[in-house]
């Protein structure tokens, strides 16, 4: 929730907890109290320009950009809860998600997004994927795939090592391709901002090249949308999320942002040493399993703006913080 003092107090996180395993997910969907019937979620295969506000009905650029966002959106599955999770959020008395589950192997589901892809050669060492680590001839050409999600979904290395990101889970007939967790990039793991970056390595160069192409397409389309629609960004306040609610195939939800919170790290002067953090609240539909999904504000955000969905509160759904 938002207090008049400007102090942020976290609400309910939206990672999906599967205490009975994945077999219980259908019960979570049927028994959902937040969005009974899930009528405001649009299956990816049914999404088109007419699902957007009227200004964008005849514009394939906007709908193609959101489909490109969907292409780099992943389901995040974690099967371990770190012993290092704190009892409360820093600076509050609010319980931190899953503290009571520390050390357990309860499945936790969220959403993430491929944010960048790198390719390396022998001069950078050999591949460190699970297959290459036990091979006498590890691959000399390999790739690194970086995925952003919420910190409360994947907290640290111990959780990341037991995390899978599933690419291409678009419908029930497309189970997708799994990346097995390797590590969390420590400089991108932030508890207060609820943003972390997972790093995966693979010698599947065909997959690396395909993901690189998909990520760059989203980046290019974001720039086109910014050029065309930036003047409407604060008018429409359009906010789109592609996520895996309740562990389901990709769903698109469309709404508006309603509040924005800004804070500065620094001396408060308008100098370059001040760091701006932003957080958003919005009407865009989410459910458990949506945590970590990119909160996309067309016309305002480029692909480098990484506000992960974090949770829900009495004044709306809200994102993690992103530093500019």
């Amino acid at each position: 929730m938002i207090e008049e003092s400007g102090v942020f107090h976290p609400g309910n996180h939206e990672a999906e907890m599967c205490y009975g395993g994945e077999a219980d997910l259908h019960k979570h969907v049927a028994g959902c109290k937040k969005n009974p019937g899930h009528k405001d979620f649009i299956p990816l295969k049914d999404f088109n320009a007419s699902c957007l506000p009227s200004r964008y009905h005849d514009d394939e650029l906007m709908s193609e950009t959101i489909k490109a966002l969907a292409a780099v959106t992943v389901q995040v599955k974690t099967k371990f809860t770190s012993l290092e999770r704190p009892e409360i959020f820093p600076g509050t008395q609010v319980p931190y998600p899953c503290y009571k589950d520390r050390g357990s192997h309860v499945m936790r589901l969220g959403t993430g997004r491929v944010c960048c892809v790198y390719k390396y050669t022998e001069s950078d060492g050999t591949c460190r994927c699970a297959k290459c680590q036990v091979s006498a001839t590890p691959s000399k050409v390999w790739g690194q795939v970086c995925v952003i999600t919420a910190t409360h979904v994947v907290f640290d290395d111990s959780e990341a090592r037991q995390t899978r990101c599933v690419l291409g889970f678009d419908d029930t007939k497309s189970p997708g391709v799994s990346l097995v967790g390797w590590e969390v990039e420590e400089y991108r793991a932030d508890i207060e901002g609820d943003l972390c970056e997972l790093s995966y390595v693979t010698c599947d160069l065909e997959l690396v090249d395909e993901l690189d192409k998909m990520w760059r397409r989203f980046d290019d389309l974001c720039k086109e949308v910014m050029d065309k629609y930036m003047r409407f960004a604060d008018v429409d306040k359009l906010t789109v999320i592609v996520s895996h609610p309740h562990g389901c195939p990709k769903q698109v939800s469309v709404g508006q942002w309603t509040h924005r919170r800004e804070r500065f790290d620094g001396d408060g002067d308008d100098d370059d040493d001040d760091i701006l953090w932003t957080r958003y609240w919005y009407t865009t539909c989410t459910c458990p399993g949506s945590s970590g999904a990119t909160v996309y504000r067309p016309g305002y955000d480029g692909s480098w703006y990484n506000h992960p969905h974090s949770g829900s509160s009495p004044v709306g759904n809200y994102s993690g913080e992103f530093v500019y």
Side-chain angles (χ1 to χ4, degrees):
M1 59 184 294
I2 307 173
E3 294 187 347
E4 291 182 1
S5 64
V7 176
F8 171 70
H9 289 271
N12 298 317
H13 76 86
E14 291 202 317
E16 180 71 275
M17 305 302 297
C18 301
Y19 292 97
E22 282 191 75
D24 279 352
L25 284 176
H26 68 282
K27 296 179 182 178
H28 296 178
V29 176
C32 179
K33 296 180 179 180
K34 183 180 181 185
N35 294 296
H38 299 93
K39 60 182 178 62
D40 292 323
F41 286 104
I42 307 164
L44 180 59
K45 64 181 178 61
D46 297 331
F47 177 79
N48 55 54
S50 67
C51 300
L52 298 167
S54 58
R55 188 192 307 277
Y56 311 99
H57 281 186
D58 297 323
D59 189 354
E60 290 302 316
L61 170 62
M62 186 67 80
S63 61
E64 287 303 309
T65 303
I66 294 167
K67 290 177 182 177
L69 168 60
V72 292
T73 295
V74 301
Q75 182 187 49
V76 180
K77 295 183 177 183
T78 304
K79 292 187 176 181
F80 179 68
T81 302
S82 173
L83 294 169
E84 301 302 318
R85 284 197 173 227
E87 185 173 3
I88 58 174
F89 278 95
T92 77
Q93 292 302 310
V94 179
Y96 193 77
C98 307
Y99 173 76
K100 293 182 180 180
D101 295 318
R102 291 175 304 156
S104 75
H105 291 271
V106 174
M107 178 174 285
R108 187 169 54 256
L109 298 176
T111 304
R113 174 172 71 85
V114 175
C115 62
C116 53
V117 179
Y118 304 98
K119 185 181 282 189
Y120 298 100
T121 61
E122 186 177 8
S123 61
D124 302 299
T126 56
C127 182
R128 300 188 294 274
C129 73
K131 182 175 71 173
C132 287
Q133 285 188 39
V134 296
S135 171
T137 57
S139 179
K140 296 179 180 179
V141 182
W142 47 286
Q144 180 183 21
V145 180
C146 297
V147 173
I148 52 171
T149 186
T151 304
H152 75 263
V153 176
V154 183
F155 184 76
D156 61 12
D157 282 339
S158 67
E159 294 185 2
R161 284 192 291 270
Q162 298 193 52
T163 295
R164 284 190 299 152
C165 285
V166 183
L167 307 155
F169 183 29
D170 296 348
D171 55 53
T172 55
K173 297 180 181 179
S174 304
V177 176
S178 292
L179 289 174
V180 180
W182 179 46
E183 65 178 351
V184 173
E185 298 286 0
E186 291 185 0
Y187 63 92
R188 295 292 291 167
D190 179 66
I191 298 176
E192 185 174 357
D194 202 22
L195 173 67
C196 80
E197 184 175 304
L198 297 166
S199 176
Y200 296 84
V201 289
T202 178
C203 54
D204 184 343
L205 299 181
E206 184 176 345
L207 176 62
V208 169
D209 289 340
E210 181 64 22
L211 287 175
D212 186 57
K213 184 188 305 181
M214 291 159 57
W215 166 68
R216 291 182 187 279
R217 173 168 170 75
F218 177 55
D219 182 56
D220 290 341
L221 288 171
C222 281
K223 292 172 184 175
E224 291 186 42
V225 169
M226 288 181 70
D227 289 342
K228 186 172 183 178
Y229 286 107
M230 183 176 288
R231 66 186 186 278
F232 299 120
D234 285 337
V235 177
D236 296 334
K237 298 184 176 181
L238 180 61
T239 307
V240 180
I241 295 176
V242 181
S243 70
H244 289 277
H246 304 293
C248 293
K250 288 173 191 170
Q251 307 283 312
V252 182
S253 50
V254 180
Q256 292 180 300
W257 64 267
T258 57
H259 301 82
R260 175 171 55 205
R261 175 179 181 261
E262 298 179 344
R263 69 179 178 89
F264 288 90
D265 281 348
D267 56 16
D269 296 331
D270 294 330
D271 298 328
D272 291 339
D273 61 345
D274 288 337
I275 302 174
L276 172 63
W277 296 77
T278 61
R279 186 188 302 272
Y280 283 84
W281 282 257
Y282 34 85
T283 62
T284 315
C285 196
T286 62
C287 266
S290 296
S291 278
T294 291
V295 180
Y296 177 49
R297 298 168 302 140
Y300 200 88
D301 285 357
S303 66
W304 57 91
Y305 287 95
N306 299 320
H307 287 91
H309 174 63
S310 188
S312 62
S313 74
V315 294
N317 298 320
Y318 61 90
S319 73
E321 284 188 317
F322 177 69
V323 59
Y324 286 82

